[in-house]
Structures are given as structure tokens and as C-alpha cells.
């Protein structure tokens, strides 16, 4: 049983079993049993900040994709405690038989009867039409890694010279994407607390802002697609000026991200004794030439049948991510399969499907290999017309293509922390990065409302 530190966590009825990690070095120890002054000091810093304690509470709940129920309940309870109206949208897990494990997207807006709507109080049946939607995802990649605090190690000296802003917050989801969940909630709370925060000549209206936290971003994007096709979305999106998508962009504004495309290749051979291979047909031997060609396809010039390139994103890249075939070393393999993912620097999914098909068929003229292409998409352009931000392009996919957005609505992608650690064992970010992102989000909201 893990002790929950901090005021926010203590106020919330959550109870998480961490029996599996008992004994890990990162485990905070009960104060009474084993005093750890440094941990207590760091923990106090977190507890003293609404943003940091909100972030900690959310990160302490495990939420690997398809297992987002507990964190969803926590986020809903936090939002309701702050007088948000919360609407949930059920997103079924494929193959799930236990319907009590209901995964939900969370859509929330300030309860206008509590916050005052400047003459815009809507009846309980209608929902407000916000101008800015702030969205991020509550699922993470596996495995869960417990939340922990540390000070960066300095060569030769202790860690005492580090400042508050240098405190490193580590654990699964601390960057991707619970940093954005916490920062987006705090952004809206801060605007609600000070409706004049936009400046002297304009006042923010509580009905201008809404929050969306989706499930399933890390595997299928089913959470965002469910929202995109829901009545909730079609009934509320008429006044959108901008959607702010939260993903780790190192505190920079993304000008776009690469596209993605996948192919699954299957080879059906004929089993035989390995001493008499001519009596069979090796599925592994059938698939290898295709993999060899695909593996290098990012380096082949486009005019020679290679993958698209662009000035903005550079080369498309290839990952032969999964391959298997055969049953034993002394049996000619009957079946082989490989899954390959392409990160696209240009072109459309249709164009890349042709490039990939042509490359494979050049070494498989009899079309013996079975190809199954996933739905993919080309590079996704994003808006970056806000002054004062450094810009970046990123190579990962996001939920941006999973939502149908009307012409003219700005799409911003922004968040603290680096994608380079986001799915790793060392996922983490500093207090300074998290707090800077709160200021960044406020500037993006301001810009969106004033434009
Ligand atoms: C929520 O609204 C109630 C009034 O209905 C108020 O007493 C309470 O302080 C509000 N809570 C927050 C966190 O704003
Ligand atoms: C379904 O899940 C709930 C919550 O995890 C659990 O309490 C219940 O026993 C499960 N039911 C079945 C039939 O597995
Ligand atoms: C292609 O892949 C999809 C997704 O994995 C799967 O549902 C479908 O059955 C596959 N089709 C074929 C012909 O294998």
C-alpha cells in the first residue's frame, strides 16, 4: 500500500495498490518508519502547488491503454469538485466482455450556474459552445512506472545546489500525457479564478472553454474517434476557434507532425523436414527479400521508387517492428509474418501504399506474399501562428487526424517534456518545464480567443 502524499491526493477518495513495487528504490517510505528528509522536502514542494499536486494525483493512478477506468474516475472527481459539468462518452474495448470496465472519454466545461455565464447560461439540456477546446489523453503506454521525485545529480557534489525548478518528476505518464492533462485543467481553473486575466479590454467568459480527455490514444485512437463522431461534439463545436492538443513538444509549438502508415506481410509456405528442404517451401525465405527491401526504402531516392521526403520533415523512416516465422530450427517454416511501420515525411497514405506495393512486388513478382495495409495518413500540418514560441516538427502520431475539424479552426500541438523519454524507463520532466507549460497554455488560449 503506497502512502499518498500531498493535499490534493489526501482530499480525494483514491486507493491504489502498489504491492507489486514494494521494495523498489523509488518507493517513498512512511515518515514515521524511516525518515527521508530529502523526499519530504521535495514532496512538500509538490504539495504546495495546486498544479504539481494535481499532476501527482493523476500520475499515481495506473492507466495503461484499455485500463483507463480508475484514472477516469479520478479526473471526473477532480473536475466535479471544481464545479465543472462533466459529460462522459463510453468507448468500448475491442473484445472486452466485462462491461463494468467501462472506459470513458471525459468532456467537461465550467458549470455556468456556479461560475456565471455573462448572460449565456444555457438550460440543462443544451450544452455550451466553447471557443477553445483543450484536449489530451489519459492512457499511457505500458508498463506502469511509479511516480517519484528526485534532484538531478551534479558531478562531484551533492544535489543541494539544485533549485525548486530542477526537481525531476519521474514515472509513467508524467510527461505523456498527464503533464498536459494537469496543465490544461489548471489553465482553465486559473482563467475561471480571474476572468479578467486576458487583459484590460477583454474578459474571458466561462463558456468559452472546454476540456476533453480521451482514452486509447496510445493504441488505436478510438477515444478521439468516438468523440469526433458523437452528438456531444456536433452539438458543441459550432463556435470553435481553436483546439489545443496536448502532447510532449518540449514546450515548443509544433508546426506539424509526420504521417504514419503500416503494412502487415504474411507468407504461406509448405512445411518439410529441414534435411529435405526442396520438398517444402520456406515462408521465411519468401518474406526476407521483401523485408530487406523495405528496411532500406527510406534511403532510396523518391524518383527511384523510395519513400517521400520533404524539406519540413526530412526522410520518411521505416521500422520492421515485428517478425516471426516457423516453428523449429529443423522444420521448413510454413508461415511467416512481419509488421512494418513507416513514418511519412510527405505524400498520402495512398501514394505510399503504391510505393510499398511496388517495392515488394519487385522481389515477389508472383505476388505470393499477402499484404494487409492499415489506414494511415500523410504528414499533419498544424498551426503555429503565435508569437513568442519556438517551433518544432515531431515524428510521432497524435489524435489530431482522428477528429474532423471544420475549416478555419486552429489546431495547436503543445506540451511540456520530451518525446525522447516519453515511452522510456526514464520518462520524466522538471517542475520548471511543467510550470512553464502552464504559462504557455495561457498564452495559447489568450491568442485563440483574441484572434
Ligand atoms: C462550487 O460551487 C459552490 C456553490 O454552489 C461553492 O460553494 C464552492 O466553493 C465551489 N467550489 C469551487 C472549488 O469553486
Ligand atoms: C468485471 O469487472 C469488475 C471491476 O473490475 C469486477 O468487480 C467484476 O468481478 C468483473 N466481472 C467479471 C464477470 O469478470
Ligand atoms: C488486416 O488487418 C486488420 C487489422 O489488423 C484485420 O482486422 C483484418 O482482418 C486483416 N485482413 C486480412 C485480409 O488479413
Amino acid at each position: 500500500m503506497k502512502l499518498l502524499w500531498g493535499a490534493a491526493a489526501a482530499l480525494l477518495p483514491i486507493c491504489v495498490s502498489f504491492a507489486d513495487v514494494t521494495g523498489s528504490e523509488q518507493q517513498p517510505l512512511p515518515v514515521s518508519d524511516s525518515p527521508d528528509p530529502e523526499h519530504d522536502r521535495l514532496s512538500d514542494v509538490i504539495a504546495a502547488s495546486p498544479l504539481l499536486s494535481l499532476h501527482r494525483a493523476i500520475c499515481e493512478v495506473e492507466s495503461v491503454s484499455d485500463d483507463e477506468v480508475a484514472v477516469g474516475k479520478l479526473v471526473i472527481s477532480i473536475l466535479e469538485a471544481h464545479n465543472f459539468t462533466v459529460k462522459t462518452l463510453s468507448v468500448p474495448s475491442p473484445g472486452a466482455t466485462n462491461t463494468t470496465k467501462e472506459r470513458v472519454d471525459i468532456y467537461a466545461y465550467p458549470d455556468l450556474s456556479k461560475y456565471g455565464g455573462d448572460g449565456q447560461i444555457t438550460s440543462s439540456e443544451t450544452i455550451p459552445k466553447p471557443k477553445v477546446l483543450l484536449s489530451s489523453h489519459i492512457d499511457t503506454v505500458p508498463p506502469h512506472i511509479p511516480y517519484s521525485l528526485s534532484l538531478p545529480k551534479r558531478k562531484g557534489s551533492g544535489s543541494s545546489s539544485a533549485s525548486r525548478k530542477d526537481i525531476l518528476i519521474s514515472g509513467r505518464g508524467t510527461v505523456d500525457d498527464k503533464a498536459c492533462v494537469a496543465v490544461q485543467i489548471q489553465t482553465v481553473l486559473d482563467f475561471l479564478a480571474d476572468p479578467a486575466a486576458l487583459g484590460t479590454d477583454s474578459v474571458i467568459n466561462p463558456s468559452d472553454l472546454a476540456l476533453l480527455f480521451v482514452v486509447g490514444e496510445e493504441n488505436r485512437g478510438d477515444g478521439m474517434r468516438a468523440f469526433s463522431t458523437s452528438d456531444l461534439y456536433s452539438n458543441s463545436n459550432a463556435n470553435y476557434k481553436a483546439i489545443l492538443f496536448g502532447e510532449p513538444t518540449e514546450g515548443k509549438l509544433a508546426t506539424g507532425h509526420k504521417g504514419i502508415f503500416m503494412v502487415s506481410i504474411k507468407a504461406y509456405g509448405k512445411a518439410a523436414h529441414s534435411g529435405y528442404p526442396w520438398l517444402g517451401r520456406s515462408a521465411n525465405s519468401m518474406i526476407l527479400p521483401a523485408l530487406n527491401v523495405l528496411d532500406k526504402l527510406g534511403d532510396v531516392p523518391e524518383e527511384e521508387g523510395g519513400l517521400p521526403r520533404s524539406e519540413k520533415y526530412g526522410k520518411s523512416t521505416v521500422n520492421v517492428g515485428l517478425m516471426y516465422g516457423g516453428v523449429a530450427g529443423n522444420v521448413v517454416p510454413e508461415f511467416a509474418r512481419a509488421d512494418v511501420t513507416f513514418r511519412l515525411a510527405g505524400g498520402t497514405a495512398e501514394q505510399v501504399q503504391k510505393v510499398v506495393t511496388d517495392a515488394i512486388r519487385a522481389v515477389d513478382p508472383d505476388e505470393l506474399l499477402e499484404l494487409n495495409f492499415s489506414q494511415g495518413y500523410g504528414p499533419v500540418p498544424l498551426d503555429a501562428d503565435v508569437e513568442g514560441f519556438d517551433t518544432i516538427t515531431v515524428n510521432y502520431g497524435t489524435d489530431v487526424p482522428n477528429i474532423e475539424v471544420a475549416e478555419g479552426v486552429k489546431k495547436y500541438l503543445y506540451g511540456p517534456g520530451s518525446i525522447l523519454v516519453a515511452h522510456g524507463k526514464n520518462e520524466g520532466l522538471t517542475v520548471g518545464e511543467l510550470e512553464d507549460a502552464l504559462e504557455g497554455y495561457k498564452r495559447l488560449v489568450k491568442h485563440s480567443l483574441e484572434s
Side-chain angles (χ1 to χ4, degrees), residues 23-308:
S24 104
E25 288 171 12
Q26 311 280 29
Q27 184 78 355
L29 297 166
V31 184
S32 54
D33 294 352
S34 170
D36 180 346
E38 173 158 300
H39 177 273
D40 291 354
R41 198 158 58 84
L42 301 183
S43 188
D44 287 348
V45 171
I46 303 301
S49 153
L51 170 64
L52 300 178
S53 45
L54 173 61
H55 178 246
R56 170 162 61 183
I58 300 169
C59 291
E60 279 181 328
V61 180
E62 180 169 345
S63 63
V64 174
S65 303
D66 288 342
D67 194 14
E68 301 102 335
V69 181
V71 82
K73 283 185 179 158
L74 172 63
V75 171
I76 291 169
S77 72
I78 292 170
L79 292 166
E80 286 180 343
H82 284 101
N83 288 334
F84 279 77
T85 302
V86 176
K87 305 271 183 202
T88 58
L89 190 67
S90 175
V91 184
S93 300
T97 48
N98 190 338
T99 50
T100 60
K101 286 211 156 195
E102 194 192 26
R103 309 157 69 218
V104 295
D105 286 346
I106 299 165
Y107 180 82
Y109 52 90
D111 178 342
L112 301 181
S113 69
K114 304 268 171 64
Y115 281 109
D118 193 20
Q120 298 211 2
I121 295 180
T122 48
S123 77
S124 56
E125 291 84 44
T126 62
I127 67 170
K129 297 184 171 50
K131 293 179 179 158
V132 178
L133 180 70
L134 297 90
S135 175
S136 41
H137 61 91
I138 55 174
D139 64 315
T140 71
V141 295
H144 181 68
I145 301 170
Y147 179 98
S148 67
L149 301 169
S150 60
L151 280 170
K153 303 270 183 294
R154 294 273 161 89
K155 279 195 198 90
S157 71
S159 49
S160 55
S161 57
S163 76
R164 175 183 179 284
K165 280 197 173 295
D166 298 325
I167 296 173
L168 184 65
I169 305 173
S170 307
R172 179 62 75 228
T174 51
V175 174
D176 189 3
D177 200 18
K178 294 171 178 179
C180 291
V181 175
V183 167
Q184 292 180 342
I185 293 174
Q186 195 63 47
T187 299
V188 177
L189 289 177
D190 285 359
F191 274 120
L192 291 172
D194 181 10
L198 274 190
T200 45
D201 41 357
S202 45
V203 168
I204 204 163
N205 192 304
S207 63
D208 288 344
L209 303 178
L211 292 162
L212 172 68
F213 302 117
V214 299
V215 295
E217 191 277 340
E218 294 289 3
N219 51 6
R220 297 175 297 273
D222 53 352
M224 186 60 91
R225 273 200 296 276
F227 178 70
S228 180
T229 53
S230 69
D231 290 345
L232 199 53
Y233 181 54
S234 55
N235 290 337
S236 64
N237 68 13
N239 293 342
Y240 276 9
K241 285 169 170 260
I243 306 181
L244 277 45
F245 295 89
E247 287 282 1
T249 63
E250 302 169 14
K252 298 171 186 169
L253 205 48
T255 58
H257 69 74
K258 273 186 168 175
I260 188 168
F261 183 72
M262 288 167 273
V263 64
S264 176
I265 308 169
K266 289 178 188 162
Y268 296 91
K270 183 167 178 266
H273 190 288
S274 61
Y276 304 86
W278 55 87
L279 297 179
R281 180 203 282 273
S282 165
N284 286 350
S285 299
M286 290 164 69
I287 210 168
L288 281 173
L291 295 185
N292 194 33
V293 164
L294 294 185
D295 204 28
K296 302 189 184 95
L297 207 55
D299 295 322
V300 175
E302 261 183 273
E303 54 278 13
E304 293 170 27
L307 293 168

Side-chain angles (χ1 to χ4, degrees), residues 314-437:
K315 281 183 193 173
S316 297
T317 58
V318 182
N319 182 48
V320 179
L322 173 80
M323 43 190 263
Y324 59 82
V327 290
N330 61 356
V331 180
V332 173
E334 186 176 34
F335 177 73
R337 172 175 171 174
D339 290 358
V340 184
T341 297
F342 306 88
R343 300 286 176 169
L344 306 182
T348 62
E350 292 71 34
Q351 288 164 346
V352 172
Q353 177 163 340
K354 180 164 186 337
V355 169
V356 170
T357 307
D358 289 351
I360 293 174
R361 294 312 183 203
V363 293
D364 172 44
D366 297 333
E367 304 195 3
L368 297 175
L369 296 175
E370 186 181 297
L371 309 182
N372 188 358
F373 297 100
S374 74
Q375 285 187 329
Y377 53 81
V380 175
L382 296 160
D383 293 289
D385 58 332
V386 190
E387 275 183 29
F389 286 92
D390 290 337
T391 58
I392 189 174
T393 58
V394 294
N395 295 348
Y396 53 82
T398 68
D399 262 338
V400 178
N402 292 329
I403 180 167
E404 297 257 349
V405 178
E407 199 76 22
V409 176
K410 299 284 171 106
K411 289 175 276 187
Y412 298 112
L413 182 68
Y414 173 79
S418 168
I419 195 68
L420 301 182
V421 297
H423 291 189
K425 281 184 184 165
N426 57 341
E427 178 165 356
L429 82 180
T430 65
V431 164
E433 289 173 298
L434 204 48
E435 292 181 337
D436 288 349

